[in-house]
Amino acid sequence: SPTMRVSLLVPTVWAYPRFGKQPIGPPCTVGAHNAATGSCPTMPQPPTPGPPPSRNHMWAPAYTMDWEFFFVPEQADAPPYLPVPRTKYNRTTGSTWYSTAGGQTRMRETYHQYCIPVFTEGVMGQRNDFSCDFINVNNVSHVVMHEDRPEGVPECCVIGDPFHPPPRDVFKLFPRSWSE
């Protein structure tokens, strides 16, 4: 199957881990994962987007996708990467499973070599050289760790409640300018 290449500039992604009964996760996802909409005043914002797309994009009701992901800490080294970033990076492969069957959106993302670096505290904020899964079901998001997880990291925890997978038409939620 084809592989999609995805790039992430690490400093623009944030989450707030609190193990135990407090859920962790991004407080503002501009409506993609929770009810917060509009700009996120306490988070760094990317540059103003370009003109509106010529057509609206809609994800398929169900799909699976294998991908390659680059974690690039240097913001000046922005995509596209042909074939790889110019500065230091970590590369992982993974897969996404997405379904809206039965009127409920569910999603699973698996990161094989490096977990997505969205945690800022504890061991998970210091390193991400372990595999992980993010499972979104019943409006709750969980992170599931594998045998290669760092010492002291639980096997599973809630990272967002409420927190849902992006809707099929997630792109219409994105602002056309960062002042919206």
Side-chain angles (χ1 to χ4, degrees):
S1 68
T3 299
M4 172 183 256
R5 294 182 82 178
V6 180
S7 303
L8 172 69
L9 299 175
V10 177
T12 62
V13 176
W14 302 94
Y16 302 91
R18 303 276 190 275
F19 295 112
K21 293 191 177 197
Q22 291 183 328
I24 59 177
C28 179
T29 61
V30 193
H33 293 289
N34 54 31
T37 59
S39 63
C40 304
T42 61
M43 298 175 67
Q45 300 295 309
T48 301
S54 59
R55 64 182 178 87
N56 289 328
H57 178 74
M58 178 84 75
W59 284 346
Y63 66 87
T64 58
M65 173 177 56
D66 295 322
W67 39 261
E68 178 180 42
F69 209 114
F70 292 96
F71 303 106
V72 182
E74 180 57 54
Q75 286 193 0
D77 190 2
Y81 302 127
L82 304 170
V84 297
R86 296 179 314 279
T87 59
K88 181 181 168 186
Y89 64 90
N90 288 337
R91 176 195 165 272
T92 192
T93 57
S95 59
T96 298
W97 175 87
Y98 182 90
S99 173
T100 58
Q104 182 185 46
T105 305
R106 294 172 297 282
M107 185 174 182
R108 177 180 180 154
E109 289 186 315
T110 299
Y111 295 79
H112 296 143
Q113 295 85 13
Y114 288 90
C115 190
I116 188 169
V118 295
F119 304 99
T120 59
E121 296 178 9
V123 166
M124 293 169 60
Q126 298 168 12
R127 55 186 277 209
N128 70 322
D129 59 339
F130 49 90
S131 56
C132 67
D133 295 309
F134 289 86
I135 300 172
N136 290 263
V137 65
N138 294 328
N139 209 27
V140 177
S141 182
H142 303 83
V143 62
V144 178
M145 300 299 171
H146 301 244
E147 292 298 319
D148 63 343
R149 71 186 180 276
E151 187 175 329
V153 172
E155 292 180 25
C156 179
C157 63
V158 170
I159 63 166
D161 182 8
F163 197 87
H164 56 77
R168 292 179 57 211
D169 61 352
V170 66
F171 303 101
K172 77 177 188 180
L173 296 173
F174 296 158
R176 296 290 179 218
S177 69
W178 296 114
S179 61
E180 289 182 25

